[in-house]
Structures are given as structure tokens and as C-alpha cells.
């Protein structure tokens, strides 16, 4: 791994420790009693809560006075979302929980640092490969300390990852009518910590997201844009972490592919 900046190295150490202590030992070893359902198709495990508690405490020590917005803290108390318009850490302690509970990869960990509604730094960690994707606003995107530039798949029919899980029947029909003839449609990995890297590292060209929760997207949007790809709302406006109830977000391996895809969706 190339040399990381001091903050990146500190964050990596925290994520790696949490993964090795709590996450990886329980992969394919969860008891039924360690899994609950927050809602339909929305599981939470003892790992989610344990990792979030550890990271929240560690980040508070690292930057006293900076609020922490964790996915599970929000599930317990919606008022935690009020911090998203201020300087705050945003944590997804186990991204891809559904995969994890089924004993499948990918899954990961995501941390973002935001200020005034915008992500200013982000870290996406894959504990299985020990890969860290990280970025700071205006400073480029990196994988394990190496600066990277987004690349497309090079396919004539851009590879498009689409989830139908949260689509209405009408939206699903739109995918078949407007997108299927022009794109190679593949399933999403159900893990933003994996989906965003795929959009910059030559595996996928486009991904469309209906839900835009801050802990899923803040770090990935920043990282993809810093890599030279494009992630933005359907109307072209930038993604803000404090507008997570606003639906619709598209990420692409290049601005040109983003423009063509959104043009077809809105046509």
C-alpha cells in the first residue's frame, strides 16, 4: 500500500480494527438471535451496532465536538439527522448487511466527513480485500494511497447496474423500455462500498439509485467525482448529504456516459 496521509491512515486503522474484531469473525457465523429486521428487506445485526458504537467513540476522540451521524443511531432517533447540515461524521458500519446476513460478499464499511451539507472527505473500505478507496474534496481520488482516474468498461453497450428492489412497476417498465435496448443491464452488488468502486475501476459504467441515504452515498459520490466520473441528481444538481429524502441519483464512469444515460431516462 502506498503511503497514506495521516487522517487516511488513522481512519484505515479504525476500520481495519473494527473489521477484524467484529465483522470478519462473524461472517457466516451469525446466530439467528444476532439478526433483526428494521423493516422490509432491511436487516440489522449485532455487527452493525457494535462497529457503529466503536467508530462513533473513536471518531469523537479523534475530532471532539464534531457530531456523528450513524445509520443505526438514526434508526433509533431520527433527530440525529439534524446534524447532517453541520460538520459531522457519517457512518455506515456494515454496508451490505443483507449480503452479510446471507453469508455473501460484498460488504464493507463507509465513513464520510461532511460540512454544511457537503461531503469533504470519504472512505470506503472492503475488509475482504483490505482495499481502501478514499478522497478529499479537490484533492483527487485514491485506492490504497494510489491516485486513480475513472475509466469506462469500454463496452459498446455501457454496463449498467440497476436495482429493481425499490422500483414501482411503472419504473421497472421504464427500465425495460428505455434502458434495456441500449445498455447491458446487470444486478447491483447491494453494497455501495462496492458499487462506487465498480463505476471508476472499469467494471460498471452507470448505476442508478432511487434511495439516496447519506451513509450509503456521501463518500462514494465524492470519491467518484474526484476520480473524474460523475455522480449527481437527475436534474444535474450536486448531491447533498442533508437532502437524503430526495429520491434519484446517478453515478457514471464518465460525464459523457452520465449525460447520455440521464437523457434517455428523462426522454
Amino acid at each position: 500500500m502506498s503511503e497514506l496521509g495521516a487522517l487516511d491512515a488513522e481512519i484505515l486503522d479504525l476500520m481495519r480494527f473494527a473489521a477484524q474484531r467484529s465483522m470478519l469473525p462473524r461472517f457466516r457465523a451469525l446466530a439467528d438471535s444476532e439478526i433483526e429486521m428494521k423493516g422490509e428487506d432491511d436487516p440489522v445485526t449485532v455487527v452493525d451496532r457494535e462497529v457503529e458504537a466503536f467508530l462513533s467513540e473513536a471518531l469523537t476522540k479523534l475530532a471532539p465536538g464534531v457530531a456523528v451521524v450513524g445509520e443505526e443511531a438514526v434508526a433509533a432517533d431520527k433527530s440525529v439527522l439534524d446534524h447532517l447540515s453541520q460538520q459531522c461524521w457519517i457512518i455506515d458500519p456494515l454496508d451490505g448487511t443483507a449480503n452479510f446476513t446471507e453469508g455473501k460478499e460484498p460488504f464493507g464499511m463507509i465513513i464520510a466527513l461532511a460540512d454544511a451539507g457537503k461531503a469533504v472527505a470519504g472512505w470506503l473500505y472492503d475488509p475482504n480485500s483490505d482495499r481502501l478507496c478514499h478522497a478529499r474534496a479537490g484533492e483527487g481520488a485514491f485506492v490504497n494511497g494510489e491516485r486513480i482516474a475513472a475509466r469506462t468498461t469500454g463496452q459498446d453497450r455501457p454496463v449498467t447496474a440497476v436495482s429493481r428492489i425499490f422500483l414501482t412497476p411503472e419504473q421497472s417498465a421504464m427500465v425495460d423500455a428505455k434502458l434495456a435496448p441500449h445498455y447491458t443491464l446487470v444486478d447491483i452488488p447491494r453494497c455501495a462500498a462496492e458499487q462506487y468502486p465498480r463505476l471508476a475501476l472499469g467494471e460498471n459504467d452507470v448505476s442508478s439509485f432511487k434511495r439516496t441515504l447519506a451513509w450509503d452515498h456521501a463518500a462514494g459520490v465524492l470519491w467518484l467525482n474526484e476520480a473524474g466520473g460523475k455522480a449527481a441528481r437527475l436534474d444535474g444538481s450536486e448531491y447533498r448529504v442533508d437532502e437524503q429524502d430526495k429520491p434519484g441519483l446517478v453515478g457514471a464512469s464518465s460525464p459523457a456516459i452520465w449525460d447520455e444515460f440521464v437523457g434517455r431516462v428523462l426522454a
Side-chain angles (χ1 to χ4, degrees):
M1 182 177 287
S2 296
E3 187 172 339
L4 297 174
L7 180 59
D8 300 317
E10 183 80 28
I11 297 292
L12 175 59
D13 283 347
L14 294 176
M15 296 171 109
R16 188 182 275 154
F17 179 81
Q20 293 174 352
R21 184 187 73 169
S22 300
M23 193 175 290
L24 296 178
R26 288 200 183 89
F27 184 44
R28 299 181 178 140
L30 278 176
D32 289 344
S33 61
E34 295 177 318
I35 306 170
E36 297 174 27
M37 297 302 294
K38 291 187 289 186
E40 187 178 356
D41 199 46
D42 191 12
V44 60
T45 73
V46 63
V47 176
D48 297 76
R49 293 182 172 131
E50 200 168 279
V51 171
E52 184 168 314
F54 167 74
L55 290 177
S56 297
E57 182 179 354
L59 292 171
T60 298
K61 288 179 180 176
L62 187 64
V66 177
V68 177
V69 178
E71 178 178 3
E72 305 316 322
V74 170
D77 179 3
K78 290 290 189 288
S79 71
V80 174
L81 291 171
D82 295 342
H83 295 302
L84 288 173
S85 296
Q86 310 157 11
Q87 189 177 44
C88 65
W89 298 102
I90 304 170
I91 302 172
D92 191 337
L94 174 51
D95 182 53
T97 301
N99 293 340
F100 191 87
T101 61
E102 295 168 13
K104 301 188 303 189
E105 298 178 25
F107 53 88
M109 210 178 298
I110 305 174
I111 297 175
L113 179 61
D115 194 9
K118 299 179 184 180
V120 296
W123 301 266
L124 303 100
Y125 181 59
D126 177 358
N128 294 294
S129 66
D130 198 37
R131 180 189 68 194
L132 179 70
C133 297
H134 52 107
R136 291 194 210 181
E139 297 183 16
F142 299 81
V143 177
N144 294 340
E146 296 279 358
R147 186 162 184 161
I148 62 106
R151 63 181 187 270
T152 70
T153 64
Q155 300 297 313
D156 292 336
R157 289 161 55 93
V159 178
T160 302
V162 177
S163 171
R164 298 179 189 253
I165 295 172
F166 302 109
L167 298 185
T168 64
E170 292 77 18
Q171 290 169 329
S172 192
M174 183 277 291
V175 169
D176 292 331
K178 292 187 176 183
L179 303 182
H182 307 286
Y183 297 90
T184 298
L185 301 182
V186 298
D187 204 2
I188 61 165
R190 299 191 71 186
C191 173
E194 173 62 21
Q195 183 62 74
Y196 279 101
R198 288 184 183 185
L199 289 170
L201 301 178
E203 191 167 344
N204 290 169
D205 288 300
V206 193
S207 193
S208 179
F209 308 97
K210 183 177 180 181
R211 295 202 310 172
T212 63
L213 301 169
W215 41 85
D216 287 329
H217 297 286
V221 165
L222 174 65
W223 182 83
L224 182 58
N225 283 326
E226 286 291 324
K230 182 173 180 178
R233 297 288 186 180
L234 281 166
D235 62 4
S237 62
E238 68 179 344
Y239 174 80
R240 291 181 54 89
V241 303
D242 54 0
E243 295 178 339
Q244 62 165 15
D245 289 334
K246 185 177 178 180
L249 176 66
V250 173
S253 56
S254 77
I257 289 176
W258 190 97
D259 290 344
E260 180 183 343
F261 179 86
V262 171
R264 292 190 188 281
V265 168
L266 298 180

